[in-house]
């Protein structure tokens, strides 16, 4: 209930009241959270505690004072008052700054007391002083304890929350770095603050750091913005950061790690555009890319392109003799060799079955012929290892250039297909340029 300084104060209050007013007994009863504590100027016992509790019940029933003397009033219902021969009793409520009843101070007389109301007024002054100097302090301390408890809870929330929370001061020193930050980035707050420029750990590029500082110092933004900091292991993250301004001017940075989500989105997007067996663009994607090239070539002659249509020779025989697993392996092997023969900007797509389309920048058929030559040589030098028998593969190619009169992708594909048919008719394992 009361700590040692409070007990000392209320014991002093009871003793001084007893001496000053000539009372036989004086006490202070304090209550809080359903418990009570009796502080008296003389030795106390259970009967006196019962009497003090009865007095407290009487005060709680209404009013700030209880006064009993020859002029009137009724003593609280407790045998102790009768046994002690009490002829006068004065009590005043002790209330905290919010007005809640926290106890009372009482004077007990075994003699008749004239003008007991005067004693009540004097106790009222003492009660007011106690409320301001002790109970008020107690309430402030209680509120401070509550605030400290809240601060502790919020600190625990900050440090254990499953989101990234940090803060940096104007000098770049990290002042808040929660557990999720340490887990995801790999540095402790002590390691960060040993750096001359802590932000350089996450953003090695000076221009990136400048934008980060601007977003926090001069233009904090509550809406989430995407940033790409580095981890200690060198992983580039995708983090959505929001900057929350506190009343004291500090900025708290709250981040959501979207790295895995973005990777999953990219994987889904890739699945929609890539052939799952060979890793080349699928039919829809290679035709979309061809359409973009055709539109660009219509506007700019320098953007002309060449289409190379390829067909894996005797593919049906591979399937029939060795099975579809061998056929799948043959397609993958063919594409691996093809990728090694094209340039970095060239696009490879699977139109279906064993038929592929390569888009090459420029309108020189010689470039496509050189690709076919390299591919045929690679297939001869690198047989497909499947089972006990190495499989020798070959391919035929048809080459067609974009011409200004082409109205759609089908025009270019039709010419490349005619050239491919001619290559097959002439014996396969060769490439033919469409010549009209």
């Amino acid at each position: 209930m009361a700590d040692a300084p409070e007990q000392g104060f209320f014991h002093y209050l009871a003793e001084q009241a007893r001496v000053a007013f000539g009372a036989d007994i004086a006490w202070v009863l304090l209550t809080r959270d359903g418990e009570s504590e009796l502080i008296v100027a003389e030795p106390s016992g259970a009967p006196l505690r019962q009497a003090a509790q009865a007095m407290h019940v009487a005060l709680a029933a209404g009013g700030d004072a209880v006064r009993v003397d020859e002029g009137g009033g009724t003593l609280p219902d407790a045998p102790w008052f009768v046994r002690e021969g009490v002829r006068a009793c004065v009590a005043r409520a002790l209330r905290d700054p919010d007005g809640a009843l926290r106890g009372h101070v009482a004077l007990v007389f075994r003699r008749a007391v004239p003008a007991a109301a005067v004693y009540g007024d004097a106790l009222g002054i003492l009660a007011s002083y106690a409320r301001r100097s002790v109970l008020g302090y107690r309430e402030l301390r209680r509120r401070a304890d509550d605030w400290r408890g809240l601060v502790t809870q919020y600190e625990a929330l900050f440090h254990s929350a499953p989101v990234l929370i940090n803060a940096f001061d104007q000098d770049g020193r990290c002042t808040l770095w929660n557990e999720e930050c340490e887990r995801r980035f790999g540095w402790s707050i002590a390691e960060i603050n040993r750096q001359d420029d802590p932000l350089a750990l996450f953003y090695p590029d000076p221009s990136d750091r400048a934008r980060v500082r601007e977003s926090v110092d001069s233009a904090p933004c509550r809406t989430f913005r995407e940033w790409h900091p580095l981890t200690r292991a060198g992983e580039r993250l995708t983090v959505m950061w929001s900057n929350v301004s506190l009343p004291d001017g500090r900025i708290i940075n709250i981040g959501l790690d979207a790295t895995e989500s973005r990777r999953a989105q990219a994987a889904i997007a890739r699945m929609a555009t890539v052939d799952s067996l060979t890793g080349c663009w699928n039919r829809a994607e290679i035709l979309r890319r061809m359409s973009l090239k055709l539109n660009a070539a219509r506007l700019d002659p320098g953007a002309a392109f060449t289409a190379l249509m390829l067909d894996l020779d005797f593919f049906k025989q591979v399937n029939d003799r060795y099975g579809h697993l061998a056929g799948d392996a043959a397609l993958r092997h063919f594409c691996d060799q093809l990728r090694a023969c094209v340039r970095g900007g060239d696009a490879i797509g699977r139109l279906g079955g064993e038929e592929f389309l390569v888009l090459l920048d420029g309108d020189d058929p010689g470039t496509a012929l050189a690709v076919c030559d390299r591919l045929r040589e690679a297939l001869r030098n690198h047989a497909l290892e499947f089972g006990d028998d190495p499989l020798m593969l070959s391919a035929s190619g048809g080459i067609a250039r974009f011409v200004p009169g082409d109205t759609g992708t089908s025009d270019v594909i039709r010419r490349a297909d005619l050239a491919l048919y001619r290559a097959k008719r002439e014996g396969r394992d060769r490439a033919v340029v469409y010549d009209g």
Side-chain angles (χ1 to χ4, degrees):
M1 285 284 302
D3 55 23
E6 288 181 354
Q7 288 178 344
F9 170 81
F10 284 114
H11 187 275
Y12 177 78
L13 178 67
E15 178 63 23
Q16 291 301 308
R18 187 185 70 82
V19 174
F21 301 120
D24 293 291
I25 299 174
W27 73 66
V28 174
L29 181 74
L30 301 176
T31 63
R32 185 169 63 182
D33 300 330
E35 299 182 359
S36 63
E37 180 177 2
L38 182 64
I39 301 173
V40 296
E42 290 186 352
S44 61
L48 180 56
R49 175 174 289 277
Q50 293 170 0
Q53 292 285 6
M55 183 67 74
H56 185 74
V57 171
L59 285 167
D64 282 332
V66 171
R67 178 172 62 84
V68 180
D69 57 19
E70 293 180 343
T74 302
L75 288 169
D77 186 14
W80 181 86
F81 289 101
V82 177
R83 187 172 64 251
E84 293 294 324
V86 175
R87 299 185 62 184
C89 181
V90 180
R92 291 293 300 230
L94 294 174
R95 298 186 181 276
D96 64 20
D98 292 332
L101 182 63
R102 296 303 183 197
H104 67 270
V105 56
L107 298 175
V108 177
F109 300 88
R110 295 190 180 94
R111 68 180 190 281
V113 176
V118 175
Y119 293 95
D121 292 340
L123 283 185
I125 295 173
L126 291 177
S128 177
Y129 174 72
R131 181 177 68 247
R132 292 193 305 271
S133 61
V134 177
L135 295 179
Y137 166 74
R138 173 188 287 183
E139 184 64 18
L140 289 175
R141 189 175 60 186
R142 181 188 67 79
R143 292 178 181 176
D145 289 341
D146 290 344
W147 277 108
R148 279 193 291 270
L150 285 174
V151 169
T152 300
Q153 293 179 22
Y154 280 117
E155 286 180 345
L157 173 63
F158 275 123
H159 285 288
S160 62
V163 295
L164 304 167
I165 303 176
N166 61 52
F168 290 82
D169 61 20
Q170 294 294 328
D171 297 326
R173 181 177 175 273
C174 185
T175 58
L176 176 62
W177 188 253
N178 75 341
E179 294 173 2
E180 184 67 6
C181 283
E182 183 168 344
R183 183 194 71 80
R184 196 65 182 95
F185 289 104
W187 287 289
S188 68
I189 189 171
E191 290 173 322
I192 292 171
N193 285 329
R194 281 199 289 267
Q195 306 297 315
D196 294 334
D197 185 358
L199 281 180
L201 292 174
F202 313 98
Y203 302 97
D205 188 299
S207 61
D208 288 341
R209 290 202 300 278
R211 287 194 296 272
V212 170
R213 288 195 175 93
E214 180 184 11
S215 73
V216 175
D217 297 338
S218 57
C221 183
R222 290 177 63 90
T223 59
F224 284 96
R225 295 177 58 185
E226 183 174 315
W227 298 93
H228 300 279
L230 282 177
T231 69
R232 187 172 197 157
E235 180 185 4
R236 180 75 66 179
L237 302 183
T238 298
V239 180
M240 308 302 294
W241 286 109
S242 174
N243 314 122
V244 179
S245 300
L246 300 182
D248 63 0
R250 289 183 298 165
I251 305 294
I252 298 293
N253 309 307
I254 300 177
L256 301 176
D257 183 4
T259 308
E260 294 304 322
S261 174
R262 290 300 173 85
R263 286 175 180 167
Q265 292 174 4
I268 292 173
R270 180 174 175 80
M271 288 172 61
T273 59
V274 173
D275 177 60
S276 59
L277 176 64
T278 63
C280 300
W281 299 120
N282 60 23
R283 178 183 180 88
E285 180 62 16
I286 194 64
L287 292 180
R288 185 188 72 83
R289 290 170 175 256
M290 187 177 185
S291 180
L292 293 176
K293 284 183 173 294
L294 188 142
N295 292 333
R298 284 203 196 102
L299 299 174
D300 178 11
F305 67 95
T306 301
L308 166 62
M309 187 173 291
L310 292 167
D311 190 277
L312 191 57
D313 294 334
F314 304 110
F315 179 69
K316 185 177 183 302
Q317 295 180 15
V318 174
N319 271 331
D320 292 343
R321 181 176 179 180
Y322 299 99
H324 289 287
L325 290 179
D328 290 347
L331 290 173
R332 286 192 294 267
H333 178 73
F334 169 77
C335 290
D336 290 342
Q337 301 305 316
L338 176 58
R339 272 188 284 267
C341 297
V342 298
R343 299 167 302 181
D346 299 332
I348 304 173
R350 183 184 181 190
L351 292 178
E354 70 276 23
E355 196 169 61
F356 294 83
L357 178 65
V358 182
L359 302 178
L360 305 103
D361 290 334
D363 62 353
D364 181 9
T367 302
L369 286 171
V371 169
C372 288
D373 289 341
R374 290 195 295 271
L375 174 62
R376 297 199 334 268
E377 183 179 1
L379 291 175
R380 284 194 297 267
N381 294 334
H382 300 88
L384 171 62
E385 299 294 337
F386 188 85
D388 297 330
D389 300 325
L391 301 180
M392 300 300 298
L393 302 176
S394 66
S396 301
I399 301 167
R401 297 181 297 115
F402 163 81
V403 296
D406 289 334
T407 60
T409 58
S410 59
D411 293 340
V412 185
I413 290 177
R414 179 184 58 82
R415 294 196 300 274
D417 193 45
L418 288 173
L420 175 60
Y421 178 75
R422 180 180 161 191
K424 290 182 177 181
R425 191 176 58 196
E426 293 179 358
R428 294 183 170 82
D429 193 20
R430 68 194 62 221
V432 171
V433 179
Y434 178 82
D435 55 8

